Amino acid sequence: MNLTNAEILSNQPISERYCHMEIAITGWSVADVKPGQFFHIRTIDAYSPLLRRPFSIYRINEEDNTLEFLYLVKGVGTKVMAKRMPKEHLDIFGPLGNTFTFREGSSGILLIARGVGIATLSALAFDAGKKGIPCYAILSARTKDDILIEKELTAAGIKTFPVTDEDGSSDPLLVRKLAEEIIKMQQIDSVYTCGSRRLAILTKDIGEQHQLFAEIALEENMGCAMGACYACVCDIQDEDEIRSIRVCQEGPVLPLKKVIL
Ligand code: FES
């Protein structure tokens, strides 16, 4: 992992609530960054807000040695981050955490993502595209405007299925029906989820029913991101015992069957 002053190449809104940032890395190769991992970022070069914020990777560009993030502008940290300008430097620490795994010889994967979870799973989708693994993505959001980067995913050969609250298509029963159809028609052997507890419960259930390999990327509040502060603790079911883990150390990607939802 590296502590780096990256250069901001671009930082702009892509919808009413979400921004996209691209940064250039010098001194080390982004080939070391894997889907699912995150960076702990100082959103502004000042004392307030002081704490770093975790940002999962949206896109890894090995040719240009750049990284891209998609983030929801919500709290103090992301509001100041949204005002950062090209050519400014961004203090980033990472990559941190573990990565998604592909099942050996996978015949197809299904992603079920909501909101900013779409960004986290997109890195996995692009990786699947590069490896020639057929990838299908159910993208759930409040509004059509919040369905992020559908065009980019489609251009990368990923078949997308947008569902929204505003037209009622994100209803869990309808999402379940859609997921079941995709699994049946497309030889899906693995399923991944991020961004919604409700969708995680649904994904876990579908995964167990169809005996699919299933992983989740957890989104937890973090303090140190180095295992020292215990701000990111969650419980998992490990064999017969329930134990607490630090998501920054053992996650953020975990087997879905282990996570207590
Ligand atoms: Fe401090 Fe995980 S964020 S232990």
Side-chain angles (χ1 to χ4, degrees):
M1 73 188 77
N2 306 279
L3 187 57
T4 305
N5 252 331
E7 183 190 343
I8 299 173
L9 298 177
S10 64
N11 186 33
Q12 49 199 353
I14 54 162
S15 72
E16 208 176 298
R17 302 191 308 139
Y18 289 90
C19 276
H20 168 265
M21 178 183 274
E22 182 169 10
I23 58 173
I25 303 293
T26 46
W28 54 274
S29 169
V30 300
D32 298 336
V33 184
K34 303 295 175 210
Q37 289 190 299
F38 67 95
F39 281 81
H40 217 206
I41 296 179
R42 273 195 82 186
T43 54
I44 192 167
D45 198 9
Y47 286 112
S48 177
L50 184 61
L51 291 180
R52 292 172 182 271
R53 302 280 194 284
F55 291 83
S56 61
I57 296 293
Y58 151 57
R59 203 159 192 170
I60 304 154
N61 305 306
E62 290 183 32
E63 310 75 34
D64 306 327
N65 216 43
T66 65
L67 296 170
E68 295 176 50
F69 300 93
L70 281 183
Y71 58 98
L72 175 63
V73 182
K74 196 176 169 195
V76 184
T78 45
K79 279 183 184 155
V80 295
M81 179 124 147
K83 294 190 178 130
R84 302 297 303 273
M85 300 298 290
K87 294 197 164 56
E88 286 182 8
H89 283 97
L90 188 71
D91 178 340
I92 67 168
F93 179 53
L96 298 163
N98 63 356
T99 177
F100 295 104
T101 36
F102 287 121
R103 195 170 175 172
E104 189 75 22
S106 177
S107 56
I109 66 172
L110 173 63
L111 317 182
I112 302 180
R114 181 163 170 98
V116 79
I118 294 173
T120 308
L121 291 185
S122 292
L124 175 70
F126 293 130
D127 201 25
K130 274 195 223 156
K131 291 180 162 76
I133 299 171
C135 179
Y136 304 82
I138 298 176
L139 310 175
S140 173
R142 291 206 312 213
T143 65
K144 205 166 179 297
D145 189 51
D146 281 348
I147 297 285
L148 309 171
I149 46 117
E150 190 188 357
K151 253 193 273 163
E152 289 80 353
L153 289 171
T154 305
I158 290 116
K159 177 84 179 122
T160 59
F161 301 85
V163 296
T164 65
D165 299 352
E166 66 184 354
D167 69 7
S169 55
S170 64
D171 181 278
L173 285 178
L174 296 178
V175 172
R176 183 178 191 110
K177 193 162 170 256
L178 176 60
E180 301 267 12
E181 275 167 23
I182 298 169
I183 289 165
K184 202 162 109 195
M185 305 294 291
Q186 307 297 343
Q187 295 188 310
I188 299 297
D189 59 27
S190 308
V191 65
Y192 304 83
T193 190
C194 184
S196 156
R197 184 175 173 274
R198 204 167 58 160
L199 287 182
I201 292 169
L202 183 148
T203 308
K204 189 174 186 177
D205 197 39
I206 292 175
E208 281 169 4
Q209 189 187 332
H210 294 271
Q211 298 184 322
L212 306 174
F213 176 81
E215 286 184 332
I216 183 171
L218 292 177
E219 299 168 297
E220 285 292 336
N221 290 326
M222 289 194 190
C224 67
M226 295 188 69
C229 73
Y230 288 76
C232 62
V233 167
C234 83
D235 287 341
I236 64 164
Q237 179 81 44
D238 209 353
E239 305 288 320
D240 289 337
E241 63 163 346
I242 292 176
R243 70 180 176 92
S244 297
I245 62 155
R246 289 162 293 174
V247 172
C248 68
Q249 296 299 288
E250 292 190 42
V253 180
L254 290 166
L256 189 47
K257 66 177 179 205
K258 286 191 176 183
V259 176
I260 299 170
L261 297 163

